[in-house]
Amino acid sequence: MADADLDVVIRQLARQQHTGLMTRAKERRDRFNGLAAKAKSKETGDRFKMMAKATMEQATAAARRLQMSADNVADSYARAMRVAASTPVVVKAEKKPAKEKPVKKAAKAKKAKAKKAK
């Protein structure tokens, strides 16, 4: 996995999250359906069935958004790596060392004051 491209890793992690999300949603749906079966009144049973259905709809939508986001990120990363790999490297010429360092203004001012003081 150390040599794997990160876009592949991103997609793999998204699949794992998608699987986990859908598993939890199915558990919640089954719980609501179980409560609907045990309900004493028809209205309560219908309410639990609606909650089970809404749970699956919301989880499916969230999983779809998660998958689309992961695909977009992975595609963007892969595209950026292709561009970076195709961009030529600019080699800068080395600067020649200066023969003499320029004298700073403060040093010039001190020399001028010393001459005036004499």
Side-chain angles (χ1 to χ4, degrees), residues 36-103:
K38 292 179 184 178
K40 303 222 185 244
S41 67
K42 182 171 176 29
E43 293 83 23
T44 306
D46 289 342
R47 189 176 77 237
F48 281 127
K49 286 180 184 179
M50 282 181 24
M51 288 172 66
K53 184 178 177 183
T55 298
M56 284 308 293
E57 288 174 357
Q58 294 294 325
T60 303
R64 191 177 328 114
R65 286 192 304 270
L66 175 72
Q67 191 65 44
M68 284 191 315
S69 295
D71 287 341
N72 288 341
V73 168
D75 292 342
S76 177
Y77 175 79
R79 186 172 42 256
M81 288 298 106
R82 280 194 307 273
V83 169
S86 67
T87 304
V89 178
V90 179
V91 179
K92 294 182 179 179
E94 292 182 24
K95 293 182 179 179
K96 294 181 182 178
K99 293 182 180 179
E100 293 181 25
K101 293 183 180 178
V103 180

Side-chain angles (χ1 to χ4, degrees), residues 20-36:
L21 176 65
M22 293 310 293
T23 301
R24 297 288 186 245
K26 288 175 184 176
E27 288 173 0
R28 173 86 38 112
R29 179 197 61 193
D30 293 342
R31 180 175 171 268
F32 285 135
N33 283 334
L35 290 172

Side-chain angles (χ1 to χ4, degrees), residues 102-113:
V103 180
K104 293 183 180 179
K105 291 181 181 179
K108 286 183 182 179
K110 285 183 183 179
K111 288 182 183 179
K113 285 184 182 178

